[in-house]
Amino acid sequence: QVQLVESGGGLVQAGGSLRLSCAASGIIFSINSMGWYRQAPGKQRELVAHITRGGGTIVADSVKGRFTISRDNAKNTVYLQMNSLKPEDTAVYYCNAQIKAPTTWYDYWGQGTQVTVSS
């Protein structure tokens, strides 16, 4: 069974930094795109950043220039470096990945990690 396990969330003051990690484990044949989404209270889940297997990225305008997504294909891990954090970045952050396990592609989600930015 495939799992996505996130880590790195927490409480930080405005202007601070956090680095989120998401590791995929289980019987994995291949991983295509990986990404980070977030959901604030009372709001819909939104895309934060997305990265293809080849390293192509899409970053939401709201975090462009502050957040960087990267991945280590050998470790089946995706990262989100978050700098210059703002109170409006407060949300539960979810990892997402398209994984072939072992012969069919599935869309997997992590359990979410809380990021809280205080003003």
Side-chain angles (χ1 to χ4, degrees), residues 17-30:
S17 298
L18 285 174
R19 188 191 195 211
L20 304 183
S21 300
C22 172
S25 63
I27 303 175
I28 296 170
F29 182 79
S30 181

Side-chain angles (χ1 to χ4, degrees), residues 44-62:
Q44 289 189 332
R45 190 173 297 190
E46 63 176 2
L47 173 69
V48 177
H50 170 278
I51 185 167
T52 67
R53 182 171 181 81
T57 61
I58 295 174
V59 180
D61 288 342
S62 59

Side-chain angles (χ1 to χ4, degrees), residues 41-105:
K43 295 188 176 181
Q44 289 189 332
R45 190 173 297 190
E46 63 176 2
L47 173 69
V48 177
H50 170 278
I51 185 167
T52 67
R53 182 171 181 81
T57 61
I58 295 174
V59 180
D61 288 342
S62 59
V63 304
K64 200 167 289 183
R66 301 187 296 121
F67 291 12
T68 303
I69 188 170
S70 61
R71 66 189 283 175
D72 184 332
N73 290 333
K75 295 181 179 180
N76 291 337
T77 300
V78 62
Y79 306 96
L80 186 68
Q81 178 66 44
M82 305 185 293
N83 299 327
S84 302
L85 282 159
K86 303 176 181 180
E88 51 263 44
D89 295 318
T90 295
V92 178
Y93 284 70
Y94 297 92
C95 173
N96 171 264
Q98 285 75 51
I99 298 175
K100 192 173 185 180
T103 60
T104 303
W105 289 97

